[in-house]
Amino acid sequence: MSLEAIEKVTQVEAENKARKAAAEAEAQRIVADAEREGLALLQKARTDAAESGKELLRQAEAKAAERAAEIDRASQAEAAALRETAGQHLEEAAEFIVGRVVKH
């Protein structure tokens, strides 16, 4: 093999070695970028899930407060109806008691 051929082989090997090193560096950069983007997406998903959970909790609390208000209104109406009924029978009850006391 001539000296020129040896130099050419050495040059090609050096170029191949440089290309391989560049490809490895590019592969590492791509992996690092993918990991960084993956972590960012994961963090965004966690943040979105937390916000969604907070919104669902807020909605549930609002529905619970609305239902509690409905129950309160219904119980107030029922209590008023019972008071009215009791008031209507109060005079009858008083007459009955007085009548029983007077008779004995």
Side-chain angles (χ1 to χ4, degrees):
M1 210 189 243
S2 70
L3 184 59
E4 189 177 298
I6 293 174
E7 287 176 356
K8 182 70 173 173
V9 168
T10 304
Q11 179 184 358
V12 169
E13 286 177 347
E15 289 172 1
N16 285 340
K17 193 174 190 180
R19 271 185 273 191
K20 181 180 178 184
E24 287 175 353
E26 178 67 10
Q28 288 176 351
R29 185 192 64 76
I30 290 170
V31 168
D33 288 349
E35 286 178 354
R36 188 171 38 256
E37 290 172 10
L39 289 173
L41 285 173
L42 179 61
Q43 183 59 40
K44 183 179 182 324
R46 286 180 177 162
T47 301
D48 290 349
E51 289 175 10
S52 177
K54 287 178 186 176
E55 177 60 20
L56 288 174
L57 181 59
R58 186 197 64 73
Q59 290 175 2
E61 287 174 343
K63 285 181 182 178
E66 184 178 312
R67 181 68 179 127
E70 288 174 13
I71 291 169
D72 185 50
R73 284 190 296 273
S75 64
Q76 296 267 347
E78 187 176 345
L82 288 172
R83 277 193 300 274
E84 184 177 329
T85 302
Q88 290 172 354
H89 296 293
L90 182 62
E91 192 172 317
E92 292 173 19
E95 287 176 14
F96 176 75
I97 293 170
V98 169
R100 298 269 304 195
V101 170
V102 171
K103 287 183 184 178
H104 291 298

